[in-house]
Amino acid sequence: MSCFQTLTDYGLRAIGLGVRGLPKADISLCDQIVLIGSGMIWNIYFAVIALFLGFFAATTIAFAKNSSVALFRIPSSIFIFLLRGSPLFIQFFIVYETFVLLPKVGIDLNLLIAEITIETRWLTRAWLGALIVLFLNTTAYSAQIFYGAIQSIPIGDIEAAQSLGLTDKQINKRIILPTMLRLSWSSYTNEAIFLFHATALVFFSSFPAWQQKGDSLYYASYFADKTFNPFVPYPIIAIFFIIFTLIIIYIFNSIDKRLNKHI
Amino acid sequence: MFDYCVDPQSLDGFYWWSCYLTTVKHISFYKSFLVVFALLGVTVPLILIFGFMGAVARQSKLYPIRLFGITYTSIVRGVPDIIFFLFVPIALDQGIEYLRHKIKCPDWTDPIRQGNDFVVCQLAKMPMGSTEQWIHETYGFFLAALAFSIVFGAFAANTINGAINAIPRAQIETGVAYGMSRKQIFMRIQFPQMWAYALPGLSNLWMILIKATPLLFLLGVQDIVYWARELGGTKTARFTYPHEDWRLGYFIVLLVFYLLLSWLSEIFFNKLTLKVTKGQATLSGMNNKNSGKSSS
């Protein structure tokens, strides 16, 4: 079987397209590269959506933790403590078990264009359930990073804005928010890399891989089990992760340049 | 455990719980918390050694050693830790058996990799096939601990490397002016001071290490996650203590355990920071020096 054939058979196997049965005997290097690469689709999906939504949630929570109103400050502090103080691995288990215990019902959501039935059983599937865990986790870590940055904004900047007659809302938007991002960006880049690496835990640890649709580590360990040779699949997945980590660093550094353009 | 536990079906309320929570399996669950501390106890010294050696390698004047240090730290940082945890134990296991096979069975002619099998002679098995179960388990635990140390050692190497570089240049120049050798400068100026600079990074690493300990479960070690799943799963009426799916409850116990551990560590590190930065010309060092005198 040519490598091109393998690519068409297994290139999108991780999302359920292509040949159903995984290669069992005579596993070639090409099989391993293609399937592990196919699994990367899930890792990228989780990382991109969790980071994107987490960014906005984290900003909100960082401001809430910095607020002088106890009603905002205390819940956000507790949220951050709970999610930063416990292992992600345990969080996956807890959330999965909670979602399994939920009653299986469908909620009809009437959008203007179409009617969608939201079903609670989706929560026990990785694409939604694990995404929620990763989203909450990155929100807590990023919120703490942003909060630390808010705390270290030079007080003179804020006083200058006040003396210019800016309102609190304007100060938040024009002084605190941009300075916060600038100060925290290198730590936030680290968090993005950590989250991307954390996506490898999803299928491997808690959420079942339905119909063998798993992420890259799911396939890598599948091959390591089948061939009893860890020296091929694990280096392959490592190279995949290094490549995408470099891409993350590149993207975040470009944003960093934009944030620091005026300095 | 207790005398009245002979017939659990007849018990309820407090008595039922007191019996349920003291079964043999529950005692194993409580003991498995020690596995977490054992892992931390074994890995922390190794992490510091690996980290220290990695940092020294990165500072080396010899290019190959420096390249090795840089490669080690950057590869480990670029790849998810879980991949190393899965790879290193099995790779070490096969590596050790391969070496023993070459030494102990030199006249073995069959290839070691036969298709999908990894075949070594009986003498080369590590640990020997005939040894007891607990030796196998301990061996697996130490391979896992080594994997943890290699991964976190790379992070520690980065931190320690940064700490060595953070020591004010003027102090090293002073050392040179006094005619100290490179080794003396390292031992007398850089080594004692780097811990203060490395402490924030190392305490952060400790927090990450704590939160990585449940991954032991994936390596087949019978740790707290293993027992939580085992005990929490639905027990039908065939069992002595039937109950529904209680895994959520057991996992919440683990959650509380980890929250407590993180919280106590944070308090400890805040105290330690105060101690090691004492007398240093940094913000925290100055605050510390004044804290005794002024009330502000």
Side-chain angles (χ1 to χ4, degrees):
Chain A
M1 198 162 64
S2 74
C3 196
F4 180 76
Q5 181 65 37
T6 310
L7 190 66
T8 50
D9 279 355
Y10 289 119
L12 296 172
R13 179 62 182 81
I15 50 173
L17 301 173
V19 175
R20 186 142 179 195
L22 297 184
K24 287 207 170 60
D26 298 327
I27 295 167
S28 69
L29 184 66
C30 181
D31 288 341
Q32 305 205 12
I33 295 176
V34 169
L35 257 176
I36 292 172
S38 158
M40 286 306 289
I41 298 172
W42 280 109
N43 296 93
I44 295 166
Y45 158 83
F46 286 126
V48 168
I49 299 185
L51 277 173
F52 180 77
L53 298 177
F55 175 80
F56 296 102
T59 313
T60 316
I61 289 178
F63 273 95
K65 189 175 177 182
N66 195 47
S67 160
S68 52
V69 185
L71 190 65
F72 295 142
R73 193 179 61 239
I74 294 169
S76 50
S77 304
I78 293 174
F79 171 78
I80 291 175
F81 172 72
L82 278 180
L83 283 149
R84 286 182 78 238
S86 59
L88 176 64
F89 193 61
I90 303 285
Q91 291 167 17
F92 272 129
F93 277 122
I94 289 187
V95 171
Y96 180 70
E97 295 301 334
T98 315
F99 286 163
V100 168
L101 293 178
L102 285 181
K104 307 254 178 304
V105 288
I107 303 156
D108 288 325
L109 192 74
N110 200 349
L111 297 174
L112 286 176
I113 335 150
E115 193 163 293
I116 307 176
T117 312
I118 297 178
E119 293 178 56
T120 48
R121 75 188 159 85
W122 289 355
L123 291 168
T124 60
R125 297 277 158 78
W127 70 267
L128 183 62
L131 183 65
I132 291 174
V133 183
L134 288 168
F135 159 74
L136 292 175
N137 191 271
T138 186
T139 300
Y141 277 91
S142 316
Q144 183 63 23
I145 292 170
F146 291 157
Y147 170 75
I150 294 177
Q151 293 279 302
S152 51
I153 292 174
I155 194 80
D157 288 15
I158 295 162
E159 285 169 355
Q162 281 167 340
S163 62
L164 284 171
L166 270 69
T167 62
D168 279 355
K169 213 174 156 187
Q170 283 174 316
I171 292 177
N172 277 342
K173 200 178 148 197
R174 296 191 188 174
I175 312 289
I176 298 184
L177 187 65
T179 317
M180 171 194 96
L181 290 180
R182 216 157 39 74
L183 292 177
S184 59
W185 203 254
S186 60
S187 317
Y188 186 60
T189 309
N190 274 336
E191 163 55 24
I193 295 170
F194 270 121
L195 181 85
F196 178 55
H197 289 179
T199 60
L201 276 175
V202 171
F203 284 104
F204 199 70
S205 59
S206 44
F207 285 85
W210 192 55
Q211 293 180 347
Q212 294 188 309
K213 290 186 260 182
D215 78 328
S216 48
L217 185 59
Y218 176 81
Y219 292 123
S221 70
Y222 170 83
F223 286 127
D225 280 351
K226 281 273 177 257
T227 62
F228 205 63
N229 181 1
F231 296 97
V232 179
Y234 289 126
I236 293 174
I237 187 176
I239 291 168
F240 269 117
F241 266 101
I242 289 174
I243 292 170
F244 283 104
T245 304
L246 291 176
I247 294 174
I248 292 179
I249 293 174
Y250 175 77
I251 295 171
F252 275 72
N253 282 353
S254 329
I255 300 174
D256 191 40
K257 283 213 184 83
R258 237 186 100 83
L259 287 170
N260 286 310
K261 210 159 55 177
H262 57 290
I263 294 176
Chain B
M1 184 89 183
F2 303 108
D3 295 335
Y4 53 80
C5 291
V6 185
D7 184 22
Q9 259 91 12
S10 63
L11 300 168
D12 54 355
F14 170 78
Y15 289 103
W16 189 87
W17 282 102
S18 68
C19 291
Y20 174 68
L21 292 174
T22 51
T23 55
V24 181
K25 283 196 165 182
H26 272 88
I27 304 292
S28 305
F29 174 53
Y30 306 140
K31 279 186 187 156
S32 67
F33 281 89
L34 293 178
V35 174
V36 176
F37 291 109
L39 180 76
L40 292 172
V42 171
T43 51
V44 166
L46 283 176
I47 289 170
L48 288 177
I49 292 169
F50 283 153
F52 186 66
M53 291 194 327
V56 171
R58 279 179 63 165
Q59 300 269 336
S60 169
K61 278 194 163 163
L62 291 168
Y63 182 69
I65 298 180
R66 200 165 64 236
L67 187 70
F68 173 77
I70 293 170
T71 319
Y72 167 53
T73 50
S74 30
I75 286 187
V76 172
R77 269 161 47 93
V79 177
D81 47 6
I82 176 69
I83 291 176
F84 276 94
F85 297 154
L86 294 174
F87 173 73
V88 173
I90 178 167
L92 278 176
D93 196 29
Q94 290 194 359
I96 292 170
E97 289 196 345
Y98 178 81
L99 282 180
R100 284 169 60 93
H101 177 80
K102 284 280 165 210
I103 295 164
K104 299 207 169 186
C105 314
D107 32 86
W108 187 281
T109 47
D110 294 340
I112 289 179
R113 288 210 177 280
Q114 297 173 4
N116 287 346
D117 288 321
F118 180 84
V119 187
V120 291
C121 62
Q122 279 304 315
L123 271 175
K125 287 260 185 268
M126 179 82 183
M128 305 290 265
S130 57
T131 45
E132 288 168 59
Q133 183 61 23
W134 71 269
I135 295 181
H136 281 272
E137 280 172 18
T138 315
Y139 182 66
F141 173 82
F142 278 103
L143 286 183
L146 198 55
F148 269 73
S149 310
I150 290 174
V151 170
F152 284 94
F155 288 103
N158 258 318
T159 306
I160 295 175
N161 184 46
I164 294 175
N165 290 335
I167 292 164
R169 183 115 205 105
Q171 298 195 11
I172 298 174
E173 282 163 6
T174 313
V176 176
Y178 272 102
M180 288 186 191
S181 67
R182 218 177 124 83
K183 202 173 150 193
Q184 282 177 319
I185 292 175
F186 185 77
M187 287 314 292
R188 297 187 188 177
I189 300 174
Q190 289 176 308
F191 187 75
Q193 283 194 80
M194 64 184 206
W195 303 108
Y197 291 102
L199 195 64
L202 291 180
S203 69
N204 198 20
L205 200 60
W206 166 260
M207 298 306 227
I208 300 174
L209 177 65
I210 291 177
K211 285 176 262 170
T213 50
L215 296 177
L216 265 185
F217 165 68
L218 295 179
L219 300 176
V221 177
Q222 297 195 349
D223 74 332
I224 47 179
V225 180
Y226 169 85
W227 284 110
R229 283 166 58 111
E230 180 81 14
L231 293 167
T234 313
K235 299 277 180 290
T236 52
R238 283 197 302 118
F239 288 85
T240 329
Y241 297 94
H243 61 73
E244 288 154 24
D245 189 349
W246 281 356
R247 273 178 293 188
L248 185 59
Y250 280 93
F251 281 123
I252 287 172
V253 171
L254 299 195
L255 181 82
V256 172
F257 167 71
Y258 278 107
L259 287 175
L260 268 175
L261 202 56
S262 311
W263 180 63
L264 291 175
S265 308
E266 212 157 295
I267 295 175
F268 171 77
F269 276 110
N270 286 343
K271 290 233 163 95
L272 194 65
T273 311
L274 280 180
K275 207 171 168 156
V276 295
T277 55
K278 202 170 179 181
Q280 269 205 328
T282 58
L283 198 59
S284 67
M286 297 308 247
N287 286 344
N288 186 19
K289 203 170 87 187
N290 295 337
S291 62
K293 294 174 193 164
S294 66
S295 57
S296 62

